[in-house]
Amino acid sequence: MGERKLWSGEPVGGNPFALPRGPLGVAAGWVLARANRRQQAEILEALAPGHYRSVLEVGCGPGVLLDLLASAPGVEEVAGVDPSRQMVSMARRRNAAALRAGRLRVHPGSAGATGEPDAAFDLVVTVNTVAMWPSLDDSLAELYRVLRPGGRAAVSWHGASSRFALTDEEDARVLAALRRRFGAAERRELGSAVLFEARR
């Protein structure tokens, strides 16, 4: 992220991990698939996705969590969106069987514009994307829009032990923005991540 001021409305710029593009973006996708696997497994356990029929992952990257979600018992529909066309392609290749079976679909989209219909999902999850959203409030409004009444929003970021961890002020801003949009929200520390949760 460099010196970029969070949630300033600025684009993410040339960081290959923020918006993977071209050959360097493909390499970044392989790194992300390895580096985030432990955190994604923790998120999956914390969310107990079998309680949700339809799930959207925002910023699905190379599709590791999509694979776990599409394989979870009780989950009937999984969708993934990512602003990087390279990541959409990688996620589709990783999850080719689920795509063919009609259990999964993946397409370009962002936290601020998922391209999904209103009130379509029981669970919306995003891992390690919140600090790269140009607008915190606009993106949370989009997550709220695509959730069904009673649906759950789960926003995860690197934990306190990571060099990418949010500052205390940034952490508080995420929680406050969720509470403004959803009315109530909670924050949990997991082994390698922080998880912010709210229900519509």
Side-chain angles (χ1 to χ4, degrees):
M1 288 180 294
E3 296 300 316
R4 179 177 173 269
K5 184 179 178 183
L6 298 189
W7 311 303
S8 64
E10 300 170 11
V12 295
N15 184 331
F17 294 99
L19 184 60
R21 287 177 281 207
L24 190 58
V26 173
W30 288 111
V31 172
L32 290 170
R34 265 184 87 86
N36 290 336
R37 189 176 295 273
R38 176 182 167 206
Q39 184 178 351
Q40 289 166 332
E42 285 180 351
I43 298 302
L44 190 79
E45 183 178 357
L47 296 179
H51 293 111
Y52 306 98
R53 185 179 62 78
S54 56
V55 183
L56 171 65
E57 184 185 4
V58 174
C60 63
V64 174
L65 184 56
L66 287 179
D67 183 27
L68 298 172
L69 290 166
S71 303
V75 177
E76 298 176 11
E77 175 193 10
V78 178
V81 299
D82 198 286
S84 164
R85 292 192 178 274
Q86 278 80 12
M87 293 301 95
V88 169
S89 294
M90 290 183 78
R92 286 175 176 163
R93 286 195 300 272
R94 182 182 298 275
N95 294 282
L99 284 163
R100 285 193 301 270
R103 296 194 315 274
L104 172 69
R105 52 194 169 77
V106 186
H107 60 87
S110 66
T114 64
E116 293 291 338
D118 293 351
F121 297 97
D122 303 311
L123 171 65
V124 177
V125 58
T126 184
V127 178
N128 296 340
T129 71
V130 64
M132 294 176 281
W133 296 349
S135 170
L136 182 58
D137 290 329
D138 290 350
S139 296
L140 291 177
E142 176 71 355
L143 270 57
Y144 184 92
R145 182 187 68 78
V146 299
L147 276 170
R148 295 187 175 113
R152 181 181 185 185
V155 177
S156 177
W157 185 255
H158 302 282
S161 62
S162 169
R163 65 190 179 100
F164 300 113
L166 297 173
T167 67
D168 289 346
E169 179 185 356
E170 291 160 355
D171 193 289
R173 284 183 66 187
V174 174
L175 190 59
L178 274 163
R179 287 173 173 164
R180 280 195 306 274
R181 175 58 57 181
F182 288 85
E186 297 179 353
R187 178 190 182 280
R188 282 199 278 166
E189 294 269 2
L190 305 179
S192 64
V194 59
L195 179 61
F196 302 91
E197 299 173 274
R199 288 190 181 272
R200 178 170 175 180

